[in-house]
Amino acid sequence: RTVKAQTYSDGPRAQRRLSALLRAYILGRPCAMFQLTGVLDDCFCDVESIDIFNNFKIYPRIKKLTERDYFRYYKVNLKRPCPFWADDGHCAIKDCHVEPCPEVKLTDSIIQTNLFYSQAANTNSDMAECEQANELGAINSTLSNQSKEAFADWARHDDAQDHFCELDDETSPDAEYVDLLLNPERFTGYKGPSAWRVWNSIYEENCFKPRSVYRPLNPLVPSRGMLCLIPFLSLCLEKRVFYRLISGLHSSINIHLCADYLLDEGWSRSVWGPNIQEFRRRFDTAETKGEGIRRLKNLYFLYLIELRALYKVAPYFERAFINLYTGNAQEDGDTKNLLLQIFNELRAFPMHFDEKSMFAGHKLEAKTLKEEFRLHFKNISRIMDCVGCSKCRLWGKLQTQGLGTALKILFSEKEIKNLPEHSPSKGFQLTRQEIVALLNGFCRLSTSIHQLHNFRLLLKDSR
């Protein structure tokens, strides 16, 4: 298969030659089980072009951006009760129930909130596994007094805005800032019926799911493969898009867990790294009866949707008075410049998803479908309060809010076009939390695609 080399913002012939070399490097598919290639459904972009663009243009920049102070702190309420079923505990191991203990004050300058747990396990092995899951899933809430004072200043600086999805009440005493760099998304031991229940609820009750797509209790059990294609294609574009967004988000989260897995827990330190066997269980063509490749393609599709949202919202941030405020003028200026660099790269990408094809039918039907689309997603955002593991809940809520913000942007094209150049707009605004979630959420997708390349190399070496 011949694929034309893409040129991006650098432009010259040398860049085209480099792109061709990079493409040859990336397209060295290591084994037959992982044939992720070709054009994506519902858009005109191919996997190979996204790989090159993301891994060499976007990923290094977005990773650096999310390490800046403005983007590393996320305010979240991890104590909201599950609104759909009785809370079955924060540990998903069988017969293990966990409850958080009060905050522990360490020093006058550092407040550290750790979650310690009581348990009710029937066996010593269950108890040990539960305690491990608790430790790995607990939130590191270490913040300095200086940081807390800065957050109060940030809150005074921000305006109240409208929200697309179900958000935490930021004025709630249970809502607190979390340092995302101290709480990376990784394997925590959260598994079993509680975890499966969350995803089954999302797919079975809150998603435009093709009827013949089989979703068993255990998501690692393969579906019925090709049987789902015909009814899936019979869904309208909007419903296909919704399902693919949720599937892509699920795939991205699974990749993060496989890439940062607890490989060994020694006396001195834990060893984290990629787990090839776990990756195969979730995405191998043979083990998933062909479902794995579709899951991964849905990840790429979600990446394009959020990339398009960032492209569309660029004018909002490019206005001179928009400031990514932390109180440090030098830091704020550097952060905005880095964000604008990313926007410049996005403009050069030639294969954007065309959101105008959505909700383009009869006005009344389109309006009804759009509202149904919004309500389905809002319900999914509420389900994230049912995730038992604190760290999993943190990243689930952040990535869901990021996707919700992307959808809000795509549904607000007219308002964005009419933004005043020198003053805020009542028609379209983004809160600090939406901005932090949008960029961190996109960074997680970018990281997933980057990690896929690493898994290709590992699979090649393991042959």
Side-chain angles (χ1 to χ4, degrees):
R1 183 174 179 271
T2 302
V3 182
K4 292 183 179 180
Q6 298 292 337
T7 59
Y8 302 112
S9 57
D10 294 338
R13 290 182 179 180
Q15 175 63 23
R16 290 199 296 269
R17 290 196 295 270
L18 177 60
S19 293
L21 290 173
L22 295 178
R23 184 181 301 278
Y25 168 70
I26 289 180
L27 296 184
R29 304 296 171 187
C31 57
M33 58 77 64
F34 195 70
Q35 294 298 327
L36 179 62
T37 185
V39 177
L40 302 174
D41 298 328
D42 295 321
C43 59
F44 300 99
C45 189
D46 59 89
V47 168
E48 294 83 355
S49 295
I50 298 174
D51 279 341
I52 292 176
F53 177 71
N54 177 75
N55 294 346
F56 294 94
K57 294 287 186 179
I58 298 300
Y59 174 71
R61 291 178 172 89
I62 195 73
K63 184 176 183 294
K64 184 178 179 181
L65 179 71
T66 54
E67 293 171 352
R68 311 290 298 193
D69 283 351
Y70 185 94
F71 291 101
R72 68 181 288 181
Y73 296 107
Y74 179 64
K75 194 171 187 180
V76 62
N77 182 359
L78 298 176
K79 299 177 182 178
R80 289 179 61 172
C82 173
F84 298 107
W85 55 77
D87 186 10
D88 52 1
H90 288 274
C91 177
I93 308 303
K94 183 177 182 294
D95 295 327
C96 181
H97 178 71
V98 296
E99 295 180 2
C101 290
E103 296 182 2
V104 178
K105 184 174 181 179
L106 299 180
T107 66
D108 291 337
S109 60
I110 297 178
I111 303 297
Q112 181 172 10
T113 305
N114 288 321
L115 299 182
F116 298 90
Y117 301 92
S118 62
Q119 57 77 37
N122 287 342
T123 66
N124 290 334
S125 60
D126 282 345
M127 180 176 176
E129 192 172 5
C130 180
E131 289 176 348
Q132 180 191 53
N134 291 339
E135 180 181 352
L136 298 178
I139 293 293
N140 183 336
S141 299
T142 303
L143 294 171
S144 67
N145 284 340
Q146 183 179 8
S147 294
K148 290 189 173 185
E149 291 173 1
F151 298 153
D153 187 32
W154 297 1
R156 289 190 292 269
H157 179 270
D158 295 336
D159 295 324
Q161 312 298 341
D162 295 329
H163 305 289
F164 176 84
C165 59
E166 186 81 5
L167 300 180
D168 295 326
D169 179 8
E170 294 182 19
T171 63
S172 168
D174 290 331
E176 55 188 359
Y177 279 98
V178 175
D179 187 338
L180 298 176
L181 298 185
L182 292 181
N183 296 278
E185 185 181 22
R186 55 174 38 158
F187 169 81
T188 66
Y190 179 58
K191 57 186 177 181
S194 178
W196 303 336
R197 187 180 191 180
V198 169
W199 283 110
N200 282 341
S201 179
I202 289 174
Y203 281 114
E204 299 294 340
E205 301 174 24
N206 297 280
C207 192
F208 299 105
K209 185 181 70 69
R211 292 181 180 177
S212 62
V213 172
Y214 177 56
R215 288 282 173 186
L217 177 63
N218 187 341
L220 298 181
V221 175
S223 73
R224 291 182 289 194
M226 296 299 292
L227 292 178
C228 72
L229 283 180
I230 295 178
F232 180 70
L233 294 177
S234 68
L235 293 176
C236 67
L237 172 64
E238 293 82 1
K239 293 184 178 182
R240 290 203 308 271
V241 166
F242 191 97
Y243 175 76
R244 297 188 70 186
L245 295 180
I246 302 307
S247 173
L249 178 60
H250 194 183
S251 298
S252 180
I253 291 173
N254 280 335
I255 291 172
H256 303 155
L257 304 187
C258 294
D260 207 1
Y261 204 91
L262 181 62
L263 302 178
D264 182 55
E265 189 172 21
W267 287 102
S268 58
R269 64 184 181 91
S270 299
V271 178
W272 303 82
N275 187 322
I276 300 177
Q277 290 71 31
E278 189 67 24
F279 181 83
R280 282 195 172 112
R281 291 177 64 196
R282 297 175 186 269
F283 299 109
D284 179 272
T285 301
E287 294 198 29
T288 63
K289 299 189 182 303
E291 185 72 16
I293 294 301
R294 284 194 290 277
R295 294 170 185 167
L296 293 175
K297 284 195 171 185
N298 289 340
L299 160 65
Y300 281 79
F301 183 78
L302 173 58
Y303 178 89
L304 287 178
I305 291 289
E306 295 203 13
L307 183 150
R308 180 63 170 176
L310 287 172
Y311 170 83
K312 300 292 286 188
V313 83
Y316 176 88
F317 291 97
E318 290 170 340
R319 295 176 296 170
F321 73 91
I322 293 296
N323 181 24
L324 302 177
Y325 182 83
T326 65
N328 183 327
Q330 181 65 47
E331 167 85 9
D332 298 348
D334 292 345
T335 301
K336 183 169 182 178
N337 287 337
L338 184 54
L339 179 61
L340 295 182
Q341 289 176 28
I342 293 174
F343 287 144
N344 287 334
E345 295 293 347
L346 297 182
R347 285 194 179 91
F349 186 67
M351 299 181 180
H352 284 273
F353 175 79
D354 182 12
E355 75 283 357
K356 292 181 180 178
S357 59
M358 295 176 60
F359 310 109
H362 187 276
K363 285 189 176 181
L364 181 59
E365 293 179 357
K367 183 178 180 180
T368 301
L369 185 59
K370 185 175 180 179
E371 179 63 11
E372 189 178 1
F373 197 101
R374 187 185 69 84
L375 292 177
H376 272 260
F377 188 82
K378 189 171 184 178
N379 218 31
I380 288 175
S381 71
R382 297 175 68 202
I383 292 177
M384 290 301 160
D385 284 318
C386 300
V387 176
C389 158
S390 296
K391 194 172 291 184
C392 305
R393 182 183 294 200
L394 164 67
W395 285 101
K397 289 167 78 75
L398 181 144
Q399 290 172 87
T400 303
Q401 185 179 7
L403 176 53
T405 304
L407 295 175
K408 169 183 173 178
I409 292 167
L410 294 179
F411 294 160
S412 304
E413 182 176 11
K414 291 182 180 179
E415 291 81 358
I416 295 175
K417 283 185 177 180
N418 295 325
L419 285 173
E421 185 64 30
H422 302 291
S423 62
S425 168
K426 294 182 180 180
F428 179 84
Q429 290 286 345
L430 293 176
T431 67
R432 179 186 299 268
Q433 296 311 103
E434 287 175 319
I435 295 170
V436 171
L438 175 67
L439 272 299
N440 273 283
F442 184 67
C443 181
R444 301 314 296 152
L445 300 177
S446 177
T447 301
S448 291
I449 291 176
H450 181 264
Q451 288 168 338
L452 278 179
H453 175 62
N454 295 336
F455 273 113
R456 289 189 185 105
L457 299 179
L458 290 172
L459 289 167
K460 181 179 180 180
D461 293 340
S462 66
R463 291 174 60 185

